[in-house]
Amino acid sequence: MRSLRGKLLPPVVAIVFSALLCSVALIISGRNPAQALAAMVVQVGHNTTAVDIVNSASVYYLVGIAVAIGFKMNLFNIGVEGQYRIGAVLAAIVGGELNLPPVIGQIVIILVAMVGGALFAALPAILKVTRGVSEVITTIMLNAIAGGIIALLIKQGAFGVLSNNNIGTRPIPSSNWIPGISFGSAGTVFGFVVIAILVGVGYWVMLNRTRFGFELQASGESPTAATAGGVDAKRMIAIAMLLSGAIAGLTALPELLGRDHTYTLISPQGYGFTGIAVALLGRNNPGGIAFGALLWAFLDQAAVSLDVIQVPREIVTIMQGAIVLSVVVSYEVIRRLELAAEQRRVGSQLAAATTGSAS
């Protein structure tokens, strides 16, 4: 019961706190918080908003899983931003340049994206294991380098083609797309949503049903204790970083194979940082990350309704930021309260045992 409370209470507190904070901000500016919330909820049933939420959530879920793998190993892989972008551009180049048969083409594109993301995570992993360099520093620098590499790869004269005043990779043939699930006028759900769900199931199985998952979590909790138990902590760091990068490489594929079919200089960015927030909100649990991804997607997609009632969309950004800050604080407060309660419980048991032996 205490474990369940420790997992569920912090995100609930964070969401409530952020909602109250945004309500205060709206009241100060002369707006009605209840009207703003109602408009966002009603927006879900309009046009393609519900499908857009699911599609966006699939992207956030994949990048959240990538971040969570690092967190489980006590690694802050802030470089998922660069890793997913490198994986996406390499996958788009291969998919556009090679006209592969159906099924084989999709498999090759997915593998290229994963390998690209993993390779871009390899350097921070090597530096962490061999020299003890913080992965935060190396991955932040590589995020900046990723932008330069992408610009170099998709410029004209390399793999870039000019289309509609924008430069991007050659379009991926329709035979290599992943077909979506059509809901008529409500929109089409990306077919990659199914793969995202399978990734989440695989993540849960790895953590809870495999020796590797146990060693990963043990090494993250205490590398010294794990080493004493026969686990090679450095090896686990390297594998965790590579696996995190490989999953990060999948992040842009729902949009690449389901909607855009090309990667351009103005393709969406920033998913890596959203993934950090989603992983924190979901406490690195696959179910929790799914909830966090859907919540984040809801806030993003439903924000358009605020324009109708003349409420600034920036209130959503405030709410998202407040959720991240408050969920971190909430987890720490709950952890300390549970630790204090456990200490009192052990103290009471020892006192009772001492009294019983004395009598």
Side-chain angles (χ1 to χ4, degrees), residues 6 80 83 88 107 145 152 161 164 189 223 244 250 254 303 318 322-323 336:
V80 291
Q83 291 153 21
I107 293 174
I145 293 172
L152 181 65
V161 293
N164 297 325
V189 173
S244 177
L250 297 175
I318 294 174
I323 288 174
R336 294 190 179 189

Side-chain angles (χ1 to χ4, degrees), residues 5 28 42 50 58 61 74 83 124 129 173-174 188 204 214-215 279 300 303 317-318 356:
R5 181 182 62 188
I28 292 175
V42 170
S58 67
Y61 187 66
N74 204 22
Q83 291 153 21
V129 170
S174 59
T188 301
W204 182 87
F214 171 78
E215 292 180 348
D300 281 345
T317 304
I318 294 174

Side-chain angles (χ1 to χ4, degrees), residues 51-137:
V51 167
D52 292 340
I53 289 173
V54 174
N55 288 338
S56 294
S58 67
V59 175
Y60 298 158
Y61 187 66
L62 287 168
V63 73
I65 293 290
V67 174
I69 291 172
F71 281 162
K72 282 294 185 180
M73 188 60 213
N74 204 22
L75 296 170
F76 193 0
N77 183 15
I78 202 172
V80 291
E81 174 72 14
Q83 291 153 21
Y84 98 75
R85 294 184 66 200
I86 289 295
V89 73
L90 292 179
I93 289 172
V94 170
E97 297 293 330
L98 303 178
N99 191 359
L100 298 172
V103 180
I104 295 177
Q106 286 90 335
I107 293 174
V108 169
I109 290 172
I110 291 172
L111 290 178
V112 168
M114 295 182 71
V115 171
L119 288 177
F120 210 64
L123 180 58
I126 292 171
L127 292 175
K128 176 75 173 180
V129 170
T130 60
R131 309 300 299 176
V133 179
S134 170
E135 72 281 358
V136 175
I137 296 174

